Amino acid sequence: MSSGALAGSDGVLRCPWALSTEDYVAYHDEEWGRPVHGDDALYERLCLEAFQSGLSWITILRRREGFRAAFAGFEIGKVADFTDADKERLLADPGIIRNRLKIEATVANARVLADWPAGELDELIWSFAPDPAARPVPRTLADVPAVTDESTALSKTLKKRGIRFIGPTTAYALMQACGLVDDHLADCVARSH
């Protein structure tokens, strides 16, 4: 796809991926690419990106409240205390993606992060944000990478620290979603100038 920003039904230019549903429009306009800080907030995004692996993002987006309810609002300390009974409860919860490996990783990652000092996850993730001046502004979807050197390095660093389900592509999706990079297209209304 080499499409640039397109006008939606409201006449506003947006990234083409955002135009298929109202859920996407709201997510695109209000969240995607906006800076996210805080260990719990970044842990939530890390988990949701891992659950998205192999699925459409809309599937995760529409179940986000179910995920938040199932995983104690993604409070790292609470999820770190989940028991085997909690994992079984999650496997039976129709409000989330019931994938045993992803559920196990979500709990295991919380246990790893619970041992980190407050603010360390935020600091570590944001240390991989590239210099915006060194990145060309994407004009079309073809200009938006799936993986970068920074996402590969972030993935490797998180894996070395014990975090699971975080490959370079997932790391880059996290970077996009959390505003470490601005991949809104040049003519998109949400592009920060």
Side-chain angles (χ1 to χ4, degrees), residues 45-107:
R45 302 319 194 286
L46 183 72
C47 294
L48 293 178
E49 293 295 346
F51 272 101
Q52 186 271 329
S53 182
L55 302 170
S56 167
W57 179 247
I58 197 69
T59 302
I60 303 304
L61 195 57
R62 290 181 173 159
R63 294 182 186 199
R64 186 163 47 173
E65 291 310 315
F67 276 106
R68 286 175 174 161
F71 286 100
F74 290 100
E75 290 183 41
I76 294 168
K78 288 182 179 179
V79 179
D81 289 337
F82 277 19
T83 64
D84 287 342
D86 288 310
K87 293 177 195 173
E88 292 304 314
R89 169 186 57 81
L90 293 167
L91 284 168
D93 188 337
I96 66 169
I97 305 301
R98 295 172 285 185
N99 178 299
R100 184 178 296 278
L101 291 176
K102 293 176 182 181
I103 289 168
E104 292 277 352
T106 300
V107 174

Short mmCIF file of all heavy atoms in Angstrom, two decimals, residues 45-107:
data_model
loop_
_atom_site.label_atom_id
_atom_site.label_comp_id
_atom_site.label_asym_id
_atom_site.label_seq_id
_atom_site.Cartn_x
_atom_site.Cartn_y
_atom_site.Cartn_z
N ARG A 45 0.45 -1.38 27.57
CA ARG A 45 0.67 -1.34 26.12
C ARG A 45 1.54 -2.49 25.67
O ARG A 45 1.30 -3.10 24.62
CB ARG A 45 1.30 -0.02 25.68
CG ARG A 45 0.57 1.26 26.01
CD ARG A 45 -0.92 1.22 25.82
NE ARG A 45 -1.55 2.52 25.83
CZ ARG A 45 -1.76 3.28 26.90
NH1 ARG A 45 -1.37 2.87 28.10
NH2 ARG A 45 -2.38 4.43 26.81
N LEU A 46 2.56 -2.81 26.46
CA LEU A 46 3.43 -3.95 26.16
C LEU A 46 2.63 -5.24 26.10
O LEU A 46 2.77 -6.04 25.16
CB LEU A 46 4.52 -4.04 27.25
CG LEU A 46 5.59 -5.09 27.12
CD1 LEU A 46 6.55 -4.74 25.99
CD2 LEU A 46 6.36 -5.18 28.44
N CYS A 47 1.74 -5.43 27.06
CA CYS A 47 0.90 -6.63 27.11
C CYS A 47 -0.07 -6.67 25.93
O CYS A 47 -0.23 -7.71 25.28
CB CYS A 47 0.12 -6.69 28.42
SG CYS A 47 1.15 -6.90 29.87
N LEU A 48 -0.73 -5.56 25.66
CA LEU A 48 -1.71 -5.54 24.57
C LEU A 48 -1.04 -5.77 23.22
O LEU A 48 -1.61 -6.47 22.36
CB LEU A 48 -2.50 -4.23 24.59
CG LEU A 48 -3.41 -4.02 25.80
CD1 LEU A 48 -4.10 -2.66 25.71
CD2 LEU A 48 -4.44 -5.14 25.93
N GLU A 49 0.14 -5.21 23.02
CA GLU A 49 0.85 -5.45 21.77
C GLU A 49 1.23 -6.93 21.65
O GLU A 49 1.17 -7.51 20.56
CB GLU A 49 2.10 -4.56 21.66
CG GLU A 49 1.82 -3.09 21.52
CD GLU A 49 1.12 -2.68 20.23
OE1 GLU A 49 1.04 -3.49 19.28
OE2 GLU A 49 0.63 -1.54 20.17
N ALA A 50 1.60 -7.56 22.76
CA ALA A 50 1.92 -8.98 22.73
C ALA A 50 0.68 -9.81 22.41
O ALA A 50 0.73 -10.75 21.61
CB ALA A 50 2.52 -9.42 24.07
N PHE A 51 -0.45 -9.46 23.02
CA PHE A 51 -1.69 -10.18 22.72
C PHE A 51 -2.10 -9.99 21.27
O PHE A 51 -2.70 -10.87 20.66
CB PHE A 51 -2.82 -9.75 23.65
CG PHE A 51 -2.89 -10.54 24.93
CD1 PHE A 51 -2.38 -10.01 26.10
CD2 PHE A 51 -3.44 -11.80 24.97
CE1 PHE A 51 -2.43 -10.74 27.29
CE2 PHE A 51 -3.49 -12.54 26.14
CZ PHE A 51 -2.99 -12.01 27.31
N GLN A 52 -1.76 -8.84 20.69
CA GLN A 52 -2.13 -8.55 19.30
C GLN A 52 -1.36 -9.40 18.32
O GLN A 52 -1.84 -9.67 17.22
CB GLN A 52 -1.91 -7.06 19.00
CG GLN A 52 -2.39 -6.63 17.63
CD GLN A 52 -1.36 -6.78 16.54
OE1 GLN A 52 -0.17 -6.66 16.77
NE2 GLN A 52 -1.80 -7.05 15.33
N SER A 53 -0.18 -9.86 18.69
CA SER A 53 0.67 -10.62 17.78
C SER A 53 -0.13 -11.73 17.09
O SER A 53 -0.72 -12.59 17.73
CB SER A 53 1.84 -11.22 18.56
OG SER A 53 2.69 -11.91 17.70
N GLY A 54 -0.17 -11.66 15.75
CA GLY A 54 -0.91 -12.65 14.97
C GLY A 54 -2.38 -12.32 14.78
O GLY A 54 -3.10 -13.07 14.11
N LEU A 55 -2.85 -11.24 15.36
CA LEU A 55 -4.26 -10.85 15.27
C LEU A 55 -4.38 -9.43 14.76
O LEU A 55 -3.40 -8.69 14.69
CB LEU A 55 -4.92 -10.94 16.65
CG LEU A 55 -4.88 -12.28 17.36
CD1 LEU A 55 -5.37 -12.14 18.79
CD2 LEU A 55 -5.74 -13.29 16.61
N SER A 56 -5.58 -9.03 14.47
CA SER A 56 -5.86 -7.65 14.07
C SER A 56 -5.90 -6.77 15.32
O SER A 56 -6.42 -7.19 16.36
CB SER A 56 -7.20 -7.59 13.35
OG SER A 56 -7.64 -6.26 13.22
N TRP A 57 -5.38 -5.53 15.22
CA TRP A 57 -5.39 -4.63 16.36
C TRP A 57 -6.81 -4.32 16.81
O TRP A 57 -7.07 -4.14 18.00
CB TRP A 57 -4.61 -3.35 16.05
CG TRP A 57 -4.63 -2.39 17.20
CD1 TRP A 57 -5.24 -1.17 17.24
CD2 TRP A 57 -4.08 -2.58 18.51
NE1 TRP A 57 -5.08 -0.59 18.48
CE2 TRP A 57 -4.38 -1.44 19.28
CE3 TRP A 57 -3.36 -3.62 19.10
CZ2 TRP A 57 -3.97 -1.30 20.60
CZ3 TRP A 57 -2.96 -3.47 20.43
CH2 TRP A 57 -3.27 -2.32 21.16
N ILE A 58 -7.76 -4.29 15.89
CA ILE A 58 -9.15 -3.98 16.25
C ILE A 58 -9.69 -5.02 17.24
O ILE A 58 -10.49 -4.70 18.11
CB ILE A 58 -10.06 -3.84 15.00
CG1 ILE A 58 -11.36 -3.12 15.36
CG2 ILE A 58 -10.33 -5.17 14.35
CD1 ILE A 58 -11.22 -1.67 15.70
N THR A 59 -9.24 -6.26 17.11
CA THR A 59 -9.66 -7.32 18.04
C THR A 59 -9.24 -6.96 19.47
O THR A 59 -10.01 -7.12 20.41
CB THR A 59 -9.03 -8.67 17.62
OG1 THR A 59 -9.44 -8.96 16.29
CG2 THR A 59 -9.45 -9.79 18.55
N ILE A 60 -8.03 -6.45 19.61
CA ILE A 60 -7.52 -6.07 20.93
C ILE A 60 -8.20 -4.80 21.41
O ILE A 60 -8.64 -4.70 22.57
CB ILE A 60 -5.99 -5.88 20.88
CG1 ILE A 60 -5.29 -7.14 20.37
CG2 ILE A 60 -5.44 -5.44 22.24
CD1 ILE A 60 -5.59 -8.41 21.15
N LEU A 61 -8.32 -3.84 20.52
CA LEU A 61 -8.92 -2.56 20.88
C LEU A 61 -10.33 -2.73 21.42
O LEU A 61 -10.70 -2.13 22.43
CB LEU A 61 -8.92 -1.65 19.64
CG LEU A 61 -9.18 -0.18 19.83
CD1 LEU A 61 -8.17 0.44 20.80
CD2 LEU A 61 -9.12 0.53 18.47
N ARG A 62 -11.10 -3.59 20.78
CA ARG A 62 -12.49 -3.80 21.21
C ARG A 62 -12.59 -4.62 22.49
O ARG A 62 -13.66 -4.64 23.11
CB ARG A 62 -13.28 -4.45 20.08
CG ARG A 62 -13.51 -3.48 18.94
CD ARG A 62 -14.30 -4.06 17.82
NE ARG A 62 -14.63 -3.04 16.84
CZ ARG A 62 -14.95 -3.29 15.59
NH1 ARG A 62 -15.04 -4.55 15.16
NH2 ARG A 62 -15.24 -2.31 14.76
N ARG A 63 -11.53 -5.27 22.89
CA ARG A 63 -11.53 -6.05 24.13
C ARG A 63 -10.69 -5.39 25.23
O ARG A 63 -10.46 -6.00 26.27
CB ARG A 63 -11.00 -7.46 23.86
CG ARG A 63 -11.92 -8.26 22.96
CD ARG A 63 -11.41 -9.64 22.76
NE ARG A 63 -12.25 -10.33 21.79
CZ ARG A 63 -12.30 -11.63 21.66
NH1 ARG A 63 -11.56 -12.41 22.41
NH2 ARG A 63 -13.09 -12.16 20.75
N ARG A 64 -10.23 -4.19 24.98
CA ARG A 64 -9.32 -3.55 25.93
C ARG A 64 -9.91 -3.44 27.33
O ARG A 64 -9.22 -3.70 28.31
CB ARG A 64 -8.88 -2.18 25.41
CG ARG A 64 -7.84 -1.55 26.29
CD ARG A 64 -7.10 -0.42 25.64
NE ARG A 64 -7.98 0.51 24.97
CZ ARG A 64 -7.58 1.65 24.44
NH1 ARG A 64 -6.31 2.00 24.51
NH2 ARG A 64 -8.43 2.44 23.86
N GLU A 65 -11.16 -3.06 27.43
CA GLU A 65 -11.77 -2.97 28.78
C GLU A 65 -11.85 -4.34 29.44
O GLU A 65 -11.67 -4.45 30.66
CB GLU A 65 -13.13 -2.29 28.71
CG GLU A 65 -13.05 -0.81 28.36
CD GLU A 65 -12.05 -0.03 29.22
OE1 GLU A 65 -12.04 -0.21 30.46
OE2 GLU A 65 -11.26 0.75 28.66
N GLY A 66 -12.09 -5.36 28.65
CA GLY A 66 -12.07 -6.73 29.19
C GLY A 66 -10.70 -7.11 29.70
O GLY A 66 -10.56 -7.73 30.76
N PHE A 67 -9.67 -6.74 28.94
CA PHE A 67 -8.30 -6.98 29.38
C PHE A 67 -8.01 -6.24 30.68
O PHE A 67 -7.41 -6.80 31.60
CB PHE A 67 -7.29 -6.53 28.31
CG PHE A 67 -7.03 -7.54 27.23
CD1 PHE A 67 -7.54 -7.37 25.95
CD2 PHE A 67 -6.25 -8.65 27.48
CE1 PHE A 67 -7.28 -8.27 24.94
CE2 PHE A 67 -5.98 -9.58 26.48
CZ PHE A 67 -6.51 -9.39 25.21
N ARG A 68 -8.42 -4.99 30.74
CA ARG A 68 -8.16 -4.20 31.95
C ARG A 68 -8.83 -4.81 33.16
O ARG A 68 -8.25 -4.87 34.24
CB ARG A 68 -8.62 -2.76 31.74
CG ARG A 68 -7.70 -1.97 30.82
CD ARG A 68 -8.22 -0.59 30.52
NE ARG A 68 -7.24 0.18 29.75
CZ ARG A 68 -7.53 1.25 29.05
NH1 ARG A 68 -8.78 1.71 29.01
NH2 ARG A 68 -6.59 1.88 28.37
N ALA A 69 -10.06 -5.27 32.99
CA ALA A 69 -10.78 -5.90 34.11
C ALA A 69 -10.11 -7.21 34.50
O ALA A 69 -9.91 -7.50 35.69
CB ALA A 69 -12.24 -6.14 33.73
N ALA A 70 -9.72 -8.01 33.52
CA ALA A 70 -9.13 -9.33 33.79
C ALA A 70 -7.75 -9.23 34.43
O ALA A 70 -7.38 -10.07 35.25
CB ALA A 70 -9.05 -10.12 32.48
N PHE A 71 -6.99 -8.19 34.04
CA PHE A 71 -5.61 -8.06 34.51
C PHE A 71 -5.45 -6.91 35.51
O PHE A 71 -4.42 -6.22 35.54
CB PHE A 71 -4.65 -7.87 33.32
CG PHE A 71 -4.42 -9.14 32.54
CD1 PHE A 71 -5.10 -9.37 31.36
CD2 PHE A 71 -3.55 -10.11 33.00
CE1 PHE A 71 -4.90 -10.53 30.63
CE2 PHE A 71 -3.34 -11.28 32.29
CZ PHE A 71 -4.02 -11.50 31.09
N ALA A 72 -6.44 -6.71 36.36
CA ALA A 72 -6.34 -5.77 37.49
C ALA A 72 -5.86 -4.39 37.06
O ALA A 72 -5.00 -3.79 37.71
CB ALA A 72 -5.44 -6.35 38.59
N GLY A 73 -6.40 -3.91 35.95
CA GLY A 73 -6.01 -2.59 35.47
C GLY A 73 -4.56 -2.49 35.05
O GLY A 73 -4.02 -1.40 34.94
N PHE A 74 -3.94 -3.64 34.82
CA PHE A 74 -2.52 -3.72 34.45
C PHE A 74 -1.62 -3.07 35.48
O PHE A 74 -0.56 -2.53 35.15
CB PHE A 74 -2.27 -3.16 33.04
CG PHE A 74 -2.83 -4.03 31.95
CD1 PHE A 74 -4.03 -3.72 31.34
CD2 PHE A 74 -2.16 -5.17 31.55
CE1 PHE A 74 -4.56 -4.54 30.35
CE2 PHE A 74 -2.68 -6.00 30.55
CZ PHE A 74 -3.88 -5.68 29.95
N GLU A 75 -2.02 -3.16 36.75
CA GLU A 75 -1.13 -2.72 37.83
C GLU A 75 -0.10 -3.83 38.02
O GLU A 75 -0.44 -4.96 38.39
CB GLU A 75 -1.91 -2.47 39.11
CG GLU A 75 -2.79 -1.24 39.04
CD GLU A 75 -3.50 -0.96 40.35
OE1 GLU A 75 -2.85 -1.09 41.42
OE2 GLU A 75 -4.69 -0.63 40.30
N ILE A 76 1.14 -3.50 37.77
CA ILE A 76 2.22 -4.49 37.78
C ILE A 76 2.24 -5.31 39.07
O ILE A 76 2.29 -6.55 39.03
CB ILE A 76 3.58 -3.82 37.53
CG1 ILE A 76 3.63 -3.25 36.10
CG2 ILE A 76 4.73 -4.80 37.78
CD1 ILE A 76 4.80 -2.31 35.83
N GLY A 77 2.17 -4.65 40.20
CA GLY A 77 2.22 -5.36 41.48
C GLY A 77 1.08 -6.34 41.67
O GLY A 77 1.28 -7.44 42.21
N LYS A 78 -0.11 -5.98 41.22
CA LYS A 78 -1.27 -6.88 41.36
C LYS A 78 -1.15 -8.08 40.42
O LYS A 78 -1.42 -9.22 40.82
CB LYS A 78 -2.57 -6.12 41.09
CG LYS A 78 -2.93 -5.15 42.19
CD LYS A 78 -4.24 -4.47 41.91
CE LYS A 78 -4.60 -3.52 43.05
NZ LYS A 78 -5.88 -2.82 42.80
N VAL A 79 -0.75 -7.84 39.16
CA VAL A 79 -0.62 -8.95 38.21
C VAL A 79 0.52 -9.88 38.63
O VAL A 79 0.42 -11.09 38.47
CB VAL A 79 -0.44 -8.44 36.77
CG1 VAL A 79 -0.29 -9.60 35.79
CG2 VAL A 79 -1.62 -7.56 36.35
N ALA A 80 1.56 -9.34 39.21
CA ALA A 80 2.68 -10.16 39.68
C ALA A 80 2.23 -11.17 40.75
O ALA A 80 2.85 -12.23 40.89
CB ALA A 80 3.79 -9.27 40.23
N ASP A 81 1.17 -10.84 41.46
CA ASP A 81 0.65 -11.72 42.51
C ASP A 81 -0.36 -12.74 42.00
O ASP A 81 -0.90 -13.53 42.79
CB ASP A 81 0.01 -10.89 43.63
CG ASP A 81 1.04 -10.14 44.45
OD1 ASP A 81 2.22 -10.56 44.48
OD2 ASP A 81 0.67 -9.12 45.07
N PHE A 82 -0.64 -12.75 40.70
CA PHE A 82 -1.60 -13.71 40.15
C PHE A 82 -1.11 -15.13 40.41
O PHE A 82 0.09 -15.43 40.32
CB PHE A 82 -1.80 -13.50 38.65
CG PHE A 82 -2.79 -12.43 38.29
CD1 PHE A 82 -3.18 -11.44 39.19
CD2 PHE A 82 -3.33 -12.40 37.03
CE1 PHE A 82 -4.09 -10.46 38.84
CE2 PHE A 82 -4.25 -11.42 36.65
CZ PHE A 82 -4.63 -10.45 37.56
N THR A 83 -2.05 -15.99 40.72
CA THR A 83 -1.77 -17.40 41.02
C THR A 83 -2.13 -18.26 39.81
O THR A 83 -2.66 -17.78 38.80
CB THR A 83 -2.62 -17.86 42.21
OG1 THR A 83 -4.00 -17.77 41.82
CG2 THR A 83 -2.37 -16.99 43.44
N ASP A 84 -1.88 -19.56 39.93
CA ASP A 84 -2.29 -20.49 38.88
C ASP A 84 -3.81 -20.45 38.71
O ASP A 84 -4.31 -20.58 37.59
CB ASP A 84 -1.83 -21.91 39.21
CG ASP A 84 -0.33 -22.09 39.03
OD1 ASP A 84 0.30 -21.24 38.35
OD2 ASP A 84 0.22 -23.06 39.56
N ALA A 85 -4.54 -20.26 39.80
CA ALA A 85 -6.00 -20.16 39.71
C ALA A 85 -6.41 -18.93 38.90
O ALA A 85 -7.37 -18.97 38.11
CB ALA A 85 -6.63 -20.10 41.10
N ASP A 86 -5.68 -17.83 39.07
CA ASP A 86 -5.95 -16.63 38.26
C ASP A 86 -5.71 -16.91 36.78
O ASP A 86 -6.48 -16.48 35.93
CB ASP A 86 -5.06 -15.47 38.71
CG ASP A 86 -5.48 -14.90 40.05
OD1 ASP A 86 -6.68 -14.61 40.23
OD2 ASP A 86 -4.60 -14.75 40.92
N LYS A 87 -4.64 -17.64 36.49
CA LYS A 87 -4.35 -17.96 35.09
C LYS A 87 -5.46 -18.82 34.48
O LYS A 87 -5.85 -18.60 33.34
CB LYS A 87 -3.00 -18.68 34.98
CG LYS A 87 -1.82 -17.79 35.34
CD LYS A 87 -0.53 -18.60 35.28
CE LYS A 87 0.60 -17.89 35.96
NZ LYS A 87 1.81 -18.74 36.05
N GLU A 88 -5.97 -19.76 35.26
CA GLU A 88 -7.08 -20.59 34.77
C GLU A 88 -8.34 -19.74 34.56
O GLU A 88 -9.08 -19.94 33.60
CB GLU A 88 -7.35 -21.76 35.72
CG GLU A 88 -6.24 -22.78 35.76
CD GLU A 88 -5.88 -23.36 34.38
OE1 GLU A 88 -6.81 -23.72 33.62
OE2 GLU A 88 -4.68 -23.43 34.06
N ARG A 89 -8.57 -18.80 35.47
CA ARG A 89 -9.70 -17.88 35.33
C ARG A 89 -9.58 -17.10 34.02
O ARG A 89 -10.54 -16.93 33.28
CB ARG A 89 -9.74 -16.93 36.53
CG ARG A 89 -10.70 -15.75 36.37
CD ARG A 89 -10.60 -14.75 37.52
NE ARG A 89 -9.30 -14.18 37.77
CZ ARG A 89 -8.76 -13.16 37.08
NH1 ARG A 89 -9.43 -12.61 36.09
NH2 ARG A 89 -7.56 -12.69 37.38
N LEU A 90 -8.36 -16.63 33.73
CA LEU A 90 -8.13 -15.86 32.50
C LEU A 90 -8.36 -16.71 31.26
O LEU A 90 -8.89 -16.22 30.26
CB LEU A 90 -6.71 -15.30 32.51
CG LEU A 90 -6.45 -14.23 33.58
CD1 LEU A 90 -4.96 -13.97 33.72
CD2 LEU A 90 -7.20 -12.95 33.26
N LEU A 91 -7.97 -17.98 31.32
CA LEU A 91 -8.17 -18.87 30.17
C LEU A 91 -9.65 -19.11 29.88
O LEU A 91 -10.01 -19.50 28.77
CB LEU A 91 -7.46 -20.21 30.40
CG LEU A 91 -5.96 -20.17 30.22
CD1 LEU A 91 -5.31 -21.45 30.76
CD2 LEU A 91 -5.61 -19.97 28.75
N ALA A 92 -10.51 -18.85 30.85
CA ALA A 92 -11.95 -19.03 30.67
C ALA A 92 -12.68 -17.70 30.43
O ALA A 92 -13.90 -17.69 30.27
CB ALA A 92 -12.54 -19.72 31.90
N ASP A 93 -11.95 -16.60 30.37
CA ASP A 93 -12.55 -15.27 30.26
C ASP A 93 -12.79 -14.90 28.79
O ASP A 93 -11.83 -14.64 28.05
CB ASP A 93 -11.63 -14.24 30.92
CG ASP A 93 -12.24 -12.87 31.03
OD1 ASP A 93 -13.17 -12.54 30.25
OD2 ASP A 93 -11.80 -12.09 31.90
N PRO A 94 -14.06 -14.84 28.36
CA PRO A 94 -14.34 -14.50 26.95
C PRO A 94 -14.08 -13.03 26.61
O PRO A 94 -14.09 -12.65 25.44
CB PRO A 94 -15.82 -14.84 26.80
CG PRO A 94 -16.39 -14.66 28.17
CD PRO A 94 -15.29 -15.07 29.12
N GLY A 95 -13.77 -12.21 27.61
CA GLY A 95 -13.52 -10.79 27.39
C GLY A 95 -12.10 -10.49 26.93
O GLY A 95 -11.78 -9.34 26.64
N ILE A 96 -11.25 -11.53 26.88
CA ILE A 96 -9.86 -11.34 26.46
C ILE A 96 -9.51 -12.39 25.40
O ILE A 96 -10.33 -13.23 25.05
CB ILE A 96 -8.87 -11.45 27.65
CG1 ILE A 96 -8.86 -12.87 28.23
CG2 ILE A 96 -9.21 -10.43 28.72
CD1 ILE A 96 -7.74 -13.13 29.22
N ILE A 97 -8.29 -12.35 24.92
CA ILE A 97 -7.77 -13.40 24.04
C ILE A 97 -7.25 -14.50 24.95
O ILE A 97 -6.34 -14.27 25.75
CB ILE A 97 -6.64 -12.86 23.14
CG1 ILE A 97 -7.11 -11.64 22.34
CG2 ILE A 97 -6.10 -13.96 22.23
CD1 ILE A 97 -8.30 -11.87 21.45
N ARG A 98 -7.82 -15.67 24.84
CA ARG A 98 -7.49 -16.76 25.75
C ARG A 98 -6.37 -17.62 25.19
O ARG A 98 -6.58 -18.74 24.77
CB ARG A 98 -8.74 -17.57 26.06
CG ARG A 98 -9.77 -16.75 26.80
CD ARG A 98 -11.07 -17.45 26.96
NE ARG A 98 -11.79 -17.46 25.68
CZ ARG A 98 -13.01 -17.92 25.52
NH1 ARG A 98 -13.66 -18.44 26.54
NH2 ARG A 98 -13.59 -17.89 24.35
N ASN A 99 -5.18 -17.08 25.22
CA ASN A 99 -3.99 -17.75 24.73
C ASN A 99 -3.08 -18.01 25.93
O ASN A 99 -2.61 -17.06 26.56
CB ASN A 99 -3.30 -16.86 23.68
CG ASN A 99 -2.02 -17.45 23.16
OD1 ASN A 99 -1.07 -17.68 23.91
ND2 ASN A 99 -1.97 -17.67 21.85
N ARG A 100 -2.88 -19.28 26.23
CA ARG A 100 -2.12 -19.65 27.43
C ARG A 100 -0.73 -19.04 27.45
O ARG A 100 -0.29 -18.50 28.48
CB ARG A 100 -2.03 -21.17 27.57
CG ARG A 100 -1.32 -21.61 28.86
CD ARG A 100 -1.28 -23.11 29.04
NE ARG A 100 -2.58 -23.72 29.18
CZ ARG A 100 -3.28 -23.77 30.32
NH1 ARG A 100 -2.78 -23.23 31.41
NH2 ARG A 100 -4.45 -24.37 30.36
N LEU A 101 -0.01 -19.09 26.33
CA LEU A 101 1.36 -18.57 26.31
C LEU A 101 1.39 -17.06 26.56
O LEU A 101 2.26 -16.55 27.27
CB LEU A 101 2.04 -18.89 24.98
CG LEU A 101 2.35 -20.37 24.73
CD1 LEU A 101 2.92 -20.55 23.33
CD2 LEU A 101 3.30 -20.92 25.78
N LYS A 102 0.43 -16.35 26.00
CA LYS A 102 0.39 -14.90 26.18
C LYS A 102 -0.04 -14.53 27.60
O LYS A 102 0.48 -13.57 28.17
CB LYS A 102 -0.52 -14.26 25.13
CG LYS A 102 0.05 -14.39 23.73
CD LYS A 102 -0.90 -13.84 22.67
CE LYS A 102 -0.30 -14.05 21.27
NZ LYS A 102 -1.18 -13.50 20.22
N ILE A 103 -0.95 -15.29 28.16
CA ILE A 103 -1.36 -15.06 29.56
C ILE A 103 -0.18 -15.34 30.49
O ILE A 103 0.11 -14.55 31.39
CB ILE A 103 -2.58 -15.93 29.92
CG1 ILE A 103 -3.83 -15.40 29.19
CG2 ILE A 103 -2.80 -15.98 31.43
CD1 ILE A 103 -5.03 -16.33 29.25
N GLU A 104 0.50 -16.46 30.26
CA GLU A 104 1.68 -16.80 31.08
C GLU A 104 2.73 -15.69 30.98
O GLU A 104 3.32 -15.29 31.99
CB GLU A 104 2.28 -18.13 30.62
CG GLU A 104 1.42 -19.35 30.89
CD GLU A 104 1.55 -19.89 32.29
OE1 GLU A 104 2.42 -19.43 33.05
OE2 GLU A 104 0.75 -20.78 32.64
N ALA A 105 2.96 -15.19 29.77
CA ALA A 105 3.96 -14.14 29.58
C ALA A 105 3.55 -12.85 30.29
O ALA A 105 4.40 -12.17 30.88
CB ALA A 105 4.17 -13.87 28.08
N THR A 106 2.27 -12.52 30.26
CA THR A 106 1.78 -11.30 30.91
C THR A 106 2.04 -11.35 32.41
O THR A 106 2.51 -10.37 33.00
CB THR A 106 0.28 -11.10 30.62
OG1 THR A 106 0.11 -10.98 29.20
CG2 THR A 106 -0.27 -9.87 31.30
N VAL A 107 1.78 -12.49 33.02
CA VAL A 107 2.02 -12.65 34.46
C VAL A 107 3.52 -12.70 34.75
O VAL A 107 4.01 -12.04 35.68
CB VAL A 107 1.29 -13.91 35.01
CG1 VAL A 107 1.65 -14.15 36.47
CG2 VAL A 107 -0.22 -13.77 34.83
#
